mmCIF file with all atom_site columns, all heavy atoms in Angstrom:
data_model
loop_
_atom_site.group_PDB
_atom_site.id
_atom_site.type_symbol
_atom_site.label_atom_id
_atom_site.label_alt_id
_atom_site.label_comp_id
_atom_site.label_asym_id
_atom_site.label_entity_id
_atom_site.label_seq_id
_atom_site.pdbx_PDB_ins_code
_atom_site.Cartn_x
_atom_site.Cartn_y
_atom_site.Cartn_z
_atom_site.occupancy
_atom_site.B_iso_or_equiv
_atom_site.pdbx_formal_charge
_atom_site.auth_seq_id
_atom_site.auth_comp_id
_atom_site.auth_asym_id
_atom_site.auth_atom_id
_atom_site.pdbx_PDB_model_num
ATOM 1   N N   . ALA A 1 87  ? 72.486 124.816 104.329 1.00 97.00 ? 289 ALA A N   1
ATOM 2   C CA  . ALA A 1 87  ? 73.459 124.617 105.399 1.00 97.00 ? 289 ALA A CA  1
ATOM 3   C C   . ALA A 1 87  ? 72.865 123.715 106.474 1.00 97.00 ? 289 ALA A C   1
ATOM 4   O O   . ALA A 1 87  ? 71.657 123.722 106.711 1.00 97.00 ? 289 ALA A O   1
ATOM 5   C CB  . ALA A 1 87  ? 73.842 125.958 106.014 1.00 97.00 ? 289 ALA A CB  1
ATOM 6   N N   . TYR A 1 88  ? 73.730 122.943 107.104 1.00 97.00 ? 290 TYR A N   1
ATOM 7   C CA  . TYR A 1 88  ? 73.331 122.054 108.193 1.00 97.00 ? 290 TYR A CA  1
ATOM 8   C C   . TYR A 1 88  ? 74.161 122.423 109.405 1.00 97.00 ? 290 TYR A C   1
ATOM 9   O O   . TYR A 1 88  ? 75.330 122.761 109.289 1.00 97.00 ? 290 TYR A O   1
ATOM 10  C CB  . TYR A 1 88  ? 73.602 120.592 107.825 1.00 97.00 ? 290 TYR A CB  1
ATOM 11  C CG  . TYR A 1 88  ? 72.799 120.112 106.654 1.00 97.00 ? 290 TYR A CG  1
ATOM 12  C CD1 . TYR A 1 88  ? 73.175 120.421 105.355 1.00 97.00 ? 290 TYR A CD1 1
ATOM 13  C CD2 . TYR A 1 88  ? 71.654 119.360 106.841 1.00 97.00 ? 290 TYR A CD2 1
ATOM 14  C CE1 . TYR A 1 88  ? 72.439 119.994 104.265 1.00 97.00 ? 290 TYR A CE1 1
ATOM 15  C CE2 . TYR A 1 88  ? 70.900 118.917 105.758 1.00 97.00 ? 290 TYR A CE2 1
ATOM 16  C CZ  . TYR A 1 88  ? 71.301 119.240 104.476 1.00 97.00 ? 290 TYR A CZ  1
ATOM 17  O OH  . TYR A 1 88  ? 70.563 118.818 103.402 1.00 97.00 ? 290 TYR A OH  1
ATOM 18  N N   . GLY A 1 89  ? 73.557 122.340 110.579 1.00 95.00 ? 291 GLY A N   1
ATOM 19  C CA  . GLY A 1 89  ? 74.297 122.667 111.782 1.00 95.00 ? 291 GLY A CA  1
ATOM 20  C C   . GLY A 1 89  ? 73.539 122.298 113.032 1.00 95.00 ? 291 GLY A C   1
ATOM 21  O O   . GLY A 1 89  ? 72.463 121.695 112.980 1.00 95.00 ? 291 GLY A O   1
ATOM 22  N N   . ILE A 1 90  ? 74.123 122.687 114.152 1.00 96.00 ? 292 ILE A N   1
ATOM 23  C CA  . ILE A 1 90  ? 73.526 122.433 115.457 1.00 96.00 ? 292 ILE A CA  1
ATOM 24  C C   . ILE A 1 90  ? 73.341 123.782 116.135 1.00 96.00 ? 292 ILE A C   1
ATOM 25  O O   . ILE A 1 90  ? 74.290 124.559 116.261 1.00 96.00 ? 292 ILE A O   1
ATOM 26  C CB  . ILE A 1 90  ? 74.444 121.535 116.310 1.00 96.00 ? 292 ILE A CB  1
ATOM 27  C CG1 . ILE A 1 90  ? 74.696 120.218 115.584 1.00 96.00 ? 292 ILE A CG1 1
ATOM 28  C CG2 . ILE A 1 90  ? 73.837 121.317 117.694 1.00 96.00 ? 292 ILE A CG2 1
ATOM 29  C CD1 . ILE A 1 90  ? 75.798 119.385 116.186 1.00 96.00 ? 292 ILE A CD1 1
ATOM 30  N N   . ARG A 1 91  ? 72.106 124.056 116.531 1.00 95.00 ? 293 ARG A N   1
ATOM 31  C CA  . ARG A 1 91  ? 71.809 125.305 117.238 1.00 95.00 ? 293 ARG A CA  1
ATOM 32  C C   . ARG A 1 91  ? 70.998 124.964 118.464 1.00 95.00 ? 293 ARG A C   1
ATOM 33  O O   . ARG A 1 91  ? 69.962 124.303 118.377 1.00 95.00 ? 293 ARG A O   1
ATOM 34  C CB  . ARG A 1 91  ? 71.035 126.264 116.338 1.00 95.00 ? 293 ARG A CB  1
ATOM 35  C CG  . ARG A 1 91  ? 70.798 127.621 116.975 1.00 95.00 ? 293 ARG A CG  1
ATOM 36  C CD  . ARG A 1 91  ? 70.239 128.622 115.989 1.00 95.00 ? 293 ARG A CD  1
ATOM 37  N NE  . ARG A 1 91  ? 69.143 128.071 115.219 1.00 95.00 ? 293 ARG A NE  1
ATOM 38  C CZ  . ARG A 1 91  ? 67.906 128.556 115.226 1.00 95.00 ? 293 ARG A CZ  1
ATOM 39  N NH1 . ARG A 1 91  ? 67.606 129.610 115.941 1.00 95.00 ? 293 ARG A NH1 1
ATOM 40  N NH2 . ARG A 1 91  ? 66.966 128.002 114.498 1.00 95.00 ? 293 ARG A NH2 1
ATOM 41  N N   . ASN A 1 92  ? 71.497 125.366 119.625 1.00 97.00 ? 294 ASN A N   1
ATOM 42  C CA  . ASN A 1 92  ? 70.821 125.100 120.891 1.00 97.00 ? 294 ASN A CA  1
ATOM 43  C C   . ASN A 1 92  ? 70.512 123.616 121.072 1.00 97.00 ? 294 ASN A C   1
ATOM 44  O O   . ASN A 1 92  ? 69.445 123.236 121.549 1.00 97.00 ? 294 ASN A O   1
ATOM 45  C CB  . ASN A 1 92  ? 69.532 125.920 121.013 1.00 97.00 ? 294 ASN A CB  1
ATOM 46  C CG  . ASN A 1 92  ? 69.773 127.406 120.971 1.00 97.00 ? 294 ASN A CG  1
ATOM 47  O OD1 . ASN A 1 92  ? 70.779 127.888 121.490 1.00 97.00 ? 294 ASN A OD1 1
ATOM 48  N ND2 . ASN A 1 92  ? 68.879 128.143 120.345 1.00 97.00 ? 294 ASN A ND2 1
ATOM 49  N N   . GLY A 1 93  ? 71.453 122.756 120.652 1.00 97.00 ? 295 GLY A N   1
ATOM 50  C CA  . GLY A 1 93  ? 71.297 121.324 120.818 1.00 97.00 ? 295 GLY A CA  1
ATOM 51  C C   . GLY A 1 93  ? 70.383 120.651 119.815 1.00 97.00 ? 295 GLY A C   1
ATOM 52  O O   . GLY A 1 93  ? 70.080 119.468 119.936 1.00 97.00 ? 295 GLY A O   1
ATOM 53  N N   . VAL A 1 94  ? 69.944 121.393 118.791 1.00 97.00 ? 296 VAL A N   1
ATOM 54  C CA  . VAL A 1 94  ? 69.038 120.859 117.772 1.00 97.00 ? 296 VAL A CA  1
ATOM 55  C C   . VAL A 1 94  ? 69.750 120.839 116.427 1.00 97.00 ? 296 VAL A C   1
ATOM 56  O O   . VAL A 1 94  ? 70.345 121.836 116.011 1.00 97.00 ? 296 VAL A O   1
ATOM 57  C CB  . VAL A 1 94  ? 67.746 121.704 117.680 1.00 97.00 ? 296 VAL A CB  1
ATOM 58  C CG1 . VAL A 1 94  ? 66.852 121.236 116.546 1.00 97.00 ? 296 VAL A CG1 1
ATOM 59  C CG2 . VAL A 1 94  ? 66.993 121.675 119.006 1.00 97.00 ? 296 VAL A CG2 1
ATOM 60  N N   . VAL A 1 95  ? 69.683 119.701 115.740 1.00 96.00 ? 297 VAL A N   1
ATOM 61  C CA  . VAL A 1 95  ? 70.268 119.570 114.403 1.00 96.00 ? 297 VAL A CA  1
ATOM 62  C C   . VAL A 1 95  ? 69.256 120.141 113.416 1.00 96.00 ? 297 VAL A C   1
ATOM 63  O O   . VAL A 1 95  ? 68.070 119.788 113.450 1.00 96.00 ? 297 VAL A O   1
ATOM 64  C CB  . VAL A 1 95  ? 70.557 118.094 114.057 1.00 96.00 ? 297 VAL A CB  1
ATOM 65  C CG1 . VAL A 1 95  ? 71.147 117.982 112.655 1.00 96.00 ? 297 VAL A CG1 1
ATOM 66  C CG2 . VAL A 1 95  ? 71.492 117.478 115.090 1.00 96.00 ? 297 VAL A CG2 1
ATOM 67  N N   . GLU A 1 96  ? 69.739 121.030 112.550 1.00 96.00 ? 298 GLU A N   1
ATOM 68  C CA  . GLU A 1 96  ? 68.821 121.673 111.614 1.00 96.00 ? 298 GLU A CA  1
ATOM 69  C C   . GLU A 1 96  ? 69.440 121.875 110.246 1.00 96.00 ? 298 GLU A C   1
ATOM 70  O O   . GLU A 1 96  ? 70.649 121.861 110.086 1.00 96.00 ? 298 GLU A O   1
ATOM 71  C CB  . GLU A 1 96  ? 68.319 122.997 112.174 1.00 96.00 ? 298 GLU A CB  1
ATOM 72  C CG  . GLU A 1 96  ? 69.400 124.018 112.425 1.00 96.00 ? 298 GLU A CG  1
ATOM 73  C CD  . GLU A 1 96  ? 68.877 125.289 113.080 1.00 96.00 ? 298 GLU A CD  1
ATOM 74  O OE1 . GLU A 1 96  ? 67.739 125.314 113.559 1.00 96.00 ? 298 GLU A OE1 1
ATOM 75  O OE2 . GLU A 1 96  ? 69.637 126.266 113.097 1.00 96.00 ? 298 GLU A OE2 1
ATOM 76  N N   . GLN A 1 97  ? 68.548 122.060 109.292 1.00 96.00 ? 299 GLN A N   1
ATOM 77  C CA  . GLN A 1 97  ? 68.920 122.405 107.921 1.00 96.00 ? 299 GLN A CA  1
ATOM 78  C C   . GLN A 1 97  ? 68.337 123.790 107.665 1.00 96.00 ? 299 GLN A C   1
ATOM 79  O O   . GLN A 1 97  ? 67.164 124.040 107.962 1.00 96.00 ? 299 GLN A O   1
ATOM 80  C CB  . GLN A 1 97  ? 68.314 121.413 106.943 1.00 96.00 ? 299 GLN A CB  1
ATOM 81  C CG  . GLN A 1 97  ? 68.536 121.802 105.486 1.00 96.00 ? 299 GLN A CG  1
ATOM 82  C CD  . GLN A 1 97  ? 67.634 121.001 104.555 1.00 96.00 ? 299 GLN A CD  1
ATOM 83  O OE1 . GLN A 1 97  ? 66.420 121.077 104.666 1.00 96.00 ? 299 GLN A OE1 1
ATOM 84  N NE2 . GLN A 1 97  ? 68.242 120.245 103.670 1.00 96.00 ? 299 GLN A NE2 1
ATOM 85  N N   . ILE A 1 98  ? 69.156 124.673 107.096 1.00 96.00 ? 300 ILE A N   1
ATOM 86  C CA  . ILE A 1 98  ? 68.706 126.033 106.797 1.00 96.00 ? 300 ILE A CA  1
ATOM 87  C C   . ILE A 1 98  ? 68.869 126.264 105.304 1.00 96.00 ? 300 ILE A C   1
ATOM 88  O O   . ILE A 1 98  ? 69.942 126.071 104.740 1.00 96.00 ? 300 ILE A O   1
ATOM 89  C CB  . ILE A 1 98  ? 69.522 127.081 107.579 1.00 96.00 ? 300 ILE A CB  1
ATOM 90  C CG1 . ILE A 1 98  ? 69.412 126.799 109.075 1.00 96.00 ? 300 ILE A CG1 1
ATOM 91  C CG2 . ILE A 1 98  ? 69.057 128.487 107.238 1.00 96.00 ? 300 ILE A CG2 1
ATOM 92  C CD1 . ILE A 1 98  ? 70.435 127.516 109.905 1.00 96.00 ? 300 ILE A CD1 1
ATOM 93  N N   . ASN A 1 99  ? 67.780 126.667 104.681 1.00 95.00 ? 301 ASN A N   1
ATOM 94  C CA  . ASN A 1 99  ? 67.786 126.947 103.250 1.00 95.00 ? 301 ASN A CA  1
ATOM 95  C C   . ASN A 1 99  ? 67.038 128.260 103.047 1.00 95.00 ? 301 ASN A C   1
ATOM 96  O O   . ASN A 1 99  ? 65.806 128.287 103.082 1.00 95.00 ? 301 ASN A O   1
ATOM 97  C CB  . ASN A 1 99  ? 67.120 125.805 102.478 1.00 95.00 ? 301 ASN A CB  1
ATOM 98  C CG  . ASN A 1 99  ? 67.377 125.906 100.998 1.00 95.00 ? 301 ASN A CG  1
ATOM 99  O OD1 . ASN A 1 99  ? 68.011 126.832 100.530 1.00 95.00 ? 301 ASN A OD1 1
ATOM 100 N ND2 . ASN A 1 99  ? 66.873 124.945 100.260 1.00 95.00 ? 301 ASN A ND2 1
ATOM 101 N N   . GLY A 1 100 ? 67.801 129.337 102.871 1.00 92.00 ? 302 GLY A N   1
ATOM 102 C CA  . GLY A 1 100 ? 67.184 130.661 102.760 1.00 92.00 ? 302 GLY A CA  1
ATOM 103 C C   . GLY A 1 100 ? 66.535 131.026 104.082 1.00 92.00 ? 302 GLY A C   1
ATOM 104 O O   . GLY A 1 100 ? 67.161 130.976 105.128 1.00 92.00 ? 302 GLY A O   1
ATOM 105 N N   . SER A 1 101 ? 65.244 131.334 104.050 1.00 94.00 ? 303 SER A N   1
ATOM 106 C CA  . SER A 1 101 ? 64.534 131.690 105.275 1.00 94.00 ? 303 SER A CA  1
ATOM 107 C C   . SER A 1 101 ? 63.828 130.494 105.910 1.00 94.00 ? 303 SER A C   1
ATOM 108 O O   . SER A 1 101 ? 63.196 130.622 106.949 1.00 94.00 ? 303 SER A O   1
ATOM 109 C CB  . SER A 1 101 ? 63.509 132.792 104.980 1.00 94.00 ? 303 SER A CB  1
ATOM 110 O OG  . SER A 1 101 ? 62.553 132.322 104.045 1.00 94.00 ? 303 SER A OG  1
ATOM 111 N N   . SER A 1 102 ? 63.953 129.325 105.300 1.00 95.00 ? 304 SER A N   1
ATOM 112 C CA  . SER A 1 102 ? 63.312 128.118 105.818 1.00 95.00 ? 304 SER A CA  1
ATOM 113 C C   . SER A 1 102 ? 64.272 127.309 106.681 1.00 95.00 ? 304 SER A C   1
ATOM 114 O O   . SER A 1 102 ? 65.446 127.177 106.361 1.00 95.00 ? 304 SER A O   1
ATOM 115 C CB  . SER A 1 102 ? 62.839 127.223 104.669 1.00 95.00 ? 304 SER A CB  1
ATOM 116 O OG  . SER A 1 102 ? 61.904 127.898 103.875 1.00 95.00 ? 304 SER A OG  1
ATOM 117 N N   . THR A 1 103 ? 63.745 126.763 107.763 1.00 95.00 ? 305 THR A N   1
ATOM 118 C CA  . THR A 1 103 ? 64.525 125.917 108.651 1.00 95.00 ? 305 THR A CA  1
ATOM 119 C C   . THR A 1 103 ? 63.771 124.622 108.887 1.00 95.00 ? 305 THR A C   1
ATOM 120 O O   . THR A 1 103 ? 62.575 124.629 109.160 1.00 95.00 ? 305 THR A O   1
ATOM 121 C CB  . THR A 1 103 ? 64.767 126.616 110.008 1.00 95.00 ? 305 THR A CB  1
ATOM 122 O OG1 . THR A 1 103 ? 65.468 127.835 109.783 1.00 95.00 ? 305 THR A OG1 1
ATOM 123 C CG2 . THR A 1 103 ? 65.576 125.748 110.936 1.00 95.00 ? 305 THR A CG2 1
ATOM 124 N N   . TYR A 1 104 ? 64.493 123.508 108.771 1.00 94.00 ? 306 TYR A N   1
ATOM 125 C CA  . TYR A 1 104 ? 63.929 122.194 109.068 1.00 94.00 ? 306 TYR A CA  1
ATOM 126 C C   . TYR A 1 104 ? 64.721 121.622 110.234 1.00 94.00 ? 306 TYR A C   1
ATOM 127 O O   . TYR A 1 104 ? 65.944 121.548 110.176 1.00 94.00 ? 306 TYR A O   1
ATOM 128 C CB  . TYR A 1 104 ? 64.041 121.257 107.858 1.00 94.00 ? 306 TYR A CB  1
ATOM 129 C CG  . TYR A 1 104 ? 63.744 119.824 108.199 1.00 94.00 ? 306 TYR A CG  1
ATOM 130 C CD1 . TYR A 1 104 ? 62.435 119.390 108.370 1.00 94.00 ? 306 TYR A CD1 1
ATOM 131 C CD2 . TYR A 1 104 ? 64.768 118.905 108.379 1.00 94.00 ? 306 TYR A CD2 1
ATOM 132 C CE1 . TYR A 1 104 ? 62.158 118.067 108.713 1.00 94.00 ? 306 TYR A CE1 1
ATOM 133 C CE2 . TYR A 1 104 ? 64.506 117.587 108.714 1.00 94.00 ? 306 TYR A CE2 1
ATOM 134 C CZ  . TYR A 1 104 ? 63.196 117.184 108.876 1.00 94.00 ? 306 TYR A CZ  1
ATOM 135 O OH  . TYR A 1 104 ? 62.922 115.890 109.221 1.00 94.00 ? 306 TYR A OH  1
ATOM 136 N N   . GLU A 1 105 ? 64.033 121.235 111.302 1.00 95.00 ? 307 GLU A N   1
ATOM 137 C CA  . GLU A 1 105 ? 64.692 120.647 112.459 1.00 95.00 ? 307 GLU A CA  1
ATOM 138 C C   . GLU A 1 105 ? 64.634 119.131 112.374 1.00 95.00 ? 307 GLU A C   1
ATOM 139 O O   . GLU A 1 105 ? 63.555 118.550 112.272 1.00 95.00 ? 307 GLU A O   1
ATOM 140 C CB  . GLU A 1 105 ? 64.035 121.134 113.747 1.00 95.00 ? 307 GLU A CB  1
ATOM 141 C CG  . GLU A 1 105 ? 64.243 122.614 114.001 1.00 95.00 ? 307 GLU A CG  1
ATOM 142 C CD  . GLU A 1 105 ? 63.678 123.074 115.331 1.00 95.00 ? 307 GLU A CD  1
ATOM 143 O OE1 . GLU A 1 105 ? 62.975 122.292 116.006 1.00 95.00 ? 307 GLU A OE1 1
ATOM 144 O OE2 . GLU A 1 105 ? 63.949 124.232 115.697 1.00 95.00 ? 307 GLU A OE2 1
ATOM 145 N N   . PHE A 1 106 ? 65.807 118.503 112.420 1.00 92.00 ? 308 PHE A N   1
ATOM 146 C CA  . PHE A 1 106 ? 65.889 117.044 112.447 1.00 92.00 ? 308 PHE A CA  1
ATOM 147 C C   . PHE A 1 106 ? 65.485 116.532 113.818 1.00 92.00 ? 308 PHE A C   1
ATOM 148 O O   . PHE A 1 106 ? 64.912 115.472 113.948 1.00 92.00 ? 308 PHE A O   1
ATOM 149 C CB  . PHE A 1 106 ? 67.318 116.577 112.139 1.00 92.00 ? 308 PHE A CB  1
ATOM 150 C CG  . PHE A 1 106 ? 67.697 116.693 110.701 1.00 92.00 ? 308 PHE A CG  1
ATOM 151 C CD1 . PHE A 1 106 ? 68.165 117.891 110.178 1.00 92.00 ? 308 PHE A CD1 1
ATOM 152 C CD2 . PHE A 1 106 ? 67.612 115.596 109.854 1.00 92.00 ? 308 PHE A CD2 1
ATOM 153 C CE1 . PHE A 1 106 ? 68.532 117.997 108.854 1.00 92.00 ? 308 PHE A CE1 1
ATOM 154 C CE2 . PHE A 1 106 ? 67.972 115.694 108.522 1.00 92.00 ? 308 PHE A CE2 1
ATOM 155 C CZ  . PHE A 1 106 ? 68.431 116.900 108.024 1.00 92.00 ? 308 PHE A CZ  1
ATOM 156 N N   . GLY A 1 107 ? 65.850 117.273 114.864 1.00 94.00 ? 309 GLY A N   1
ATOM 157 C CA  . GLY A 1 107 ? 65.555 116.887 116.241 1.00 94.00 ? 309 GLY A CA  1
ATOM 158 C C   . GLY A 1 107 ? 66.730 117.208 117.146 1.00 94.00 ? 309 GLY A C   1
ATOM 159 O O   . GLY A 1 107 ? 67.730 117.775 116.721 1.00 94.00 ? 309 GLY A O   1
ATOM 160 N N   . LYS A 1 108 ? 66.574 116.835 118.416 1.00 97.00 ? 310 LYS A N   1
ATOM 161 C CA  . LYS A 1 108 ? 67.629 117.089 119.397 1.00 97.00 ? 310 LYS A CA  1
ATOM 162 C C   . LYS A 1 108 ? 68.822 116.179 119.127 1.00 97.00 ? 310 LYS A C   1
ATOM 163 O O   . LYS A 1 108 ? 68.663 114.975 118.925 1.00 97.00 ? 310 LYS A O   1
ATOM 164 C CB  . LYS A 1 108 ? 67.112 116.845 120.808 1.00 97.00 ? 310 LYS A CB  1
ATOM 165 C CG  . LYS A 1 108 ? 66.070 117.858 121.239 1.00 97.00 ? 310 LYS A CG  1
ATOM 166 C CD  . LYS A 1 108 ? 65.626 117.602 122.659 1.00 97.00 ? 310 LYS A CD  1
ATOM 167 C CE  . LYS A 1 108 ? 64.597 118.644 123.065 1.00 97.00 ? 310 LYS A CE  1
ATOM 168 N NZ  . LYS A 1 108 ? 64.128 118.413 124.439 1.00 97.00 ? 310 LYS A NZ  1
ATOM 169 N N   . LEU A 1 109 ? 70.005 116.776 119.149 1.00 96.00 ? 311 LEU A N   1
ATOM 170 C CA  . LEU A 1 109 ? 71.236 116.052 118.857 1.00 96.00 ? 311 LEU A CA  1
ATOM 171 C C   . LEU A 1 109 ? 71.365 114.798 119.709 1.00 96.00 ? 311 LEU A C   1
ATOM 172 O O   . LEU A 1 109 ? 71.586 113.710 119.186 1.00 96.00 ? 311 LEU A O   1
ATOM 173 C CB  . LEU A 1 109 ? 72.456 116.965 119.057 1.00 96.00 ? 311 LEU A CB  1
ATOM 174 C CG  . LEU A 1 109 ? 73.818 116.306 118.876 1.00 96.00 ? 311 LEU A CG  1
ATOM 175 C CD1 . LEU A 1 109 ? 74.013 115.865 117.437 1.00 96.00 ? 311 LEU A CD1 1
ATOM 176 C CD2 . LEU A 1 109 ? 74.920 117.242 119.317 1.00 96.00 ? 311 LEU A CD2 1
ATOM 177 N N   . GLU A 1 110 ? 71.211 114.938 121.005 1.00 95.00 ? 312 GLU A N   1
ATOM 178 C CA  . GLU A 1 110 ? 71.416 113.786 121.895 1.00 95.00 ? 312 GLU A CA  1
ATOM 179 C C   . GLU A 1 110 ? 70.410 112.669 121.621 1.00 95.00 ? 312 GLU A C   1
ATOM 180 O O   . GLU A 1 110 ? 70.750 111.488 121.701 1.00 95.00 ? 312 GLU A O   1
ATOM 181 C CB  . GLU A 1 110 ? 71.398 114.201 123.359 1.00 95.00 ? 312 GLU A CB  1
ATOM 182 C CG  . GLU A 1 110 ? 70.074 114.789 123.811 1.00 95.00 ? 312 GLU A CG  1
ATOM 183 C CD  . GLU A 1 110 ? 70.120 115.357 125.219 1.00 95.00 ? 312 GLU A CD  1
ATOM 184 O OE1 . GLU A 1 110 ? 71.144 115.951 125.591 1.00 95.00 ? 312 GLU A OE1 1
ATOM 185 O OE2 . GLU A 1 110 ? 69.117 115.203 125.926 1.00 95.00 ? 312 GLU A OE2 1
ATOM 186 N N   . GLU A 1 111 ? 69.185 113.003 121.255 1.00 95.00 ? 313 GLU A N   1
ATOM 187 C CA  . GLU A 1 111 ? 68.178 111.984 120.952 1.00 95.00 ? 313 GLU A CA  1
ATOM 188 C C   . GLU A 1 111 ? 68.468 111.287 119.623 1.00 95.00 ? 313 GLU A C   1
ATOM 189 O O   . GLU A 1 111 ? 68.287 110.068 119.498 1.00 95.00 ? 313 GLU A O   1
ATOM 190 C CB  . GLU A 1 111 ? 66.780 112.605 120.923 1.00 95.00 ? 313 GLU A CB  1
ATOM 191 C CG  . GLU A 1 111 ? 66.311 113.067 122.289 1.00 95.00 ? 313 GLU A CG  1
ATOM 192 C CD  . GLU A 1 111 ? 64.987 113.820 122.254 1.00 95.00 ? 313 GLU A CD  1
ATOM 193 O OE1 . GLU A 1 111 ? 64.389 113.977 121.157 1.00 95.00 ? 313 GLU A OE1 1
ATOM 194 O OE2 . GLU A 1 111 ? 64.550 114.274 123.327 1.00 95.00 ? 313 GLU A OE2 1
ATOM 195 N N   . ILE A 1 112 ? 68.914 112.046 118.644 1.00 95.00 ? 314 ILE A N   1
ATOM 196 C CA  . ILE A 1 112 ? 69.252 111.465 117.336 1.00 95.00 ? 314 ILE A CA  1
ATOM 197 C C   . ILE A 1 112 ? 70.437 110.515 117.483 1.00 95.00 ? 314 ILE A C   1
ATOM 198 O O   . ILE A 1 112 ? 70.426 109.400 116.948 1.00 95.00 ? 314 ILE A O   1
ATOM 199 C CB  . ILE A 1 112 ? 69.562 112.567 116.300 1.00 95.00 ? 314 ILE A CB  1
ATOM 200 C CG1 . ILE A 1 112 ? 68.303 113.380 116.004 1.00 95.00 ? 314 ILE A CG1 1
ATOM 201 C CG2 . ILE A 1 112 ? 70.129 111.965 115.021 1.00 95.00 ? 314 ILE A CG2 1
ATOM 202 C CD1 . ILE A 1 112 ? 68.556 114.621 115.164 1.00 95.00 ? 314 ILE A CD1 1
ATOM 203 N N   . ILE A 1 113 ? 71.459 110.948 118.225 1.00 94.00 ? 315 ILE A N   1
ATOM 204 C CA  . ILE A 1 113 ? 72.650 110.113 118.427 1.00 94.00 ? 315 ILE A CA  1
ATOM 205 C C   . ILE A 1 113 ? 72.267 108.835 119.171 1.00 94.00 ? 315 ILE A C   1
ATOM 206 O O   . ILE A 1 113 ? 72.694 107.738 118.802 1.00 94.00 ? 315 ILE A O   1
ATOM 207 C CB  . ILE A 1 113 ? 73.757 110.889 119.180 1.00 94.00 ? 315 ILE A CB  1
ATOM 208 C CG1 . ILE A 1 113 ? 74.215 112.115 118.382 1.00 94.00 ? 315 ILE A CG1 1
ATOM 209 C CG2 . ILE A 1 113 ? 74.921 109.965 119.526 1.00 94.00 ? 315 ILE A CG2 1
ATOM 210 C CD1 . ILE A 1 113 ? 74.865 111.828 117.065 1.00 94.00 ? 315 ILE A CD1 1
#
Side-chain angles (χ1 to χ4, degrees):
Y290 296 79
I292 302 168
R293 185 170 47 119
N294 299 324
V296 175
V297 179
E298 62 184 13
Q299 174 194 60
I300 303 165
N301 193 358
S303 62
S304 299
T305 300
Y306 168 77
E307 293 184 351
F308 285 84
K310 292 182 179 179
L311 176 66
E312 63 187 38
E313 292 174 1
I314 294 171
I315 298 296

